[in-house]
Amino acid sequence: VQLQASGGGLVQAGGSLRLSCEASGRTFNRYGMGWFRQAPGKEREFVAVISSSSSTTYYADSVKGRFTISRDNAKNTVYLQMNSLKPDDTAVYYCAAGSVIIRTSASDYPYWGQGTLVTVSS
């Protein structure tokens, strides 16, 4: 499966952005989908994950209550709605496809998009 992330940009603290990740292929609904991020000089970290059927979601503590992950299997797309953004959210955001089972480790995701940059100014 190939993934294409979009929707990043520059936003002021407190603002919102919605990231999208469109997948190619007809097996999108078999994959759990995750969002990760990598800030300059830091390791890639887990942000959120959604199960193949959307029945289960899980978030990193740092974004819980501010970010919402969702998916539309008819459109082969997963979204990340980001509200109340903080400068610490500045990073390149990556979408990834992996196991049906919820996973939070990047090593469990074999398919990755190219990343989209989110910059939050103070």
Side-chain angles (χ1 to χ4, degrees), residues 8-29:
L10 174 63
V11 64
Q12 289 188 332
S16 298
L17 280 175
R18 188 176 81 155
L19 305 184
S20 300
C21 174
E22 185 173 359
S24 63
R26 295 175 289 179
T27 59
F28 176 75
N29 61 3

Side-chain angles (χ1 to χ4, degrees), residues 25-106:
R26 295 175 289 179
T27 59
F28 176 75
N29 61 3
R30 297 180 185 178
Y31 293 99
M33 296 297 297
W35 285 98
F36 292 77
R37 67 186 181 186
Q38 188 166 16
K42 295 186 177 181
E43 294 186 353
R44 192 168 298 189
E45 65 174 0
F46 166 77
V47 174
V49 60
I50 187 168
S51 62
S52 58
S53 65
S54 300
S55 60
T56 303
T57 58
Y58 186 75
Y59 299 90
D61 287 344
S62 59
V63 306
K64 200 172 296 182
R66 298 188 299 121
F67 291 11
T68 301
I69 189 170
S70 62
R71 66 190 294 163
D72 185 339
N73 284 346
K75 295 182 178 180
N76 281 9
T77 301
V78 62
Y79 305 97
L80 186 68
Q81 177 67 44
M82 306 186 295
N83 299 329
S84 302
L85 282 161
K86 305 175 182 179
D88 284 349
D89 295 318
T90 295
V92 177
Y93 283 72
Y94 299 88
C95 59
S99 168
V100 170
I101 301 173
I102 293 289
R103 298 291 189 206
T104 61
S105 173

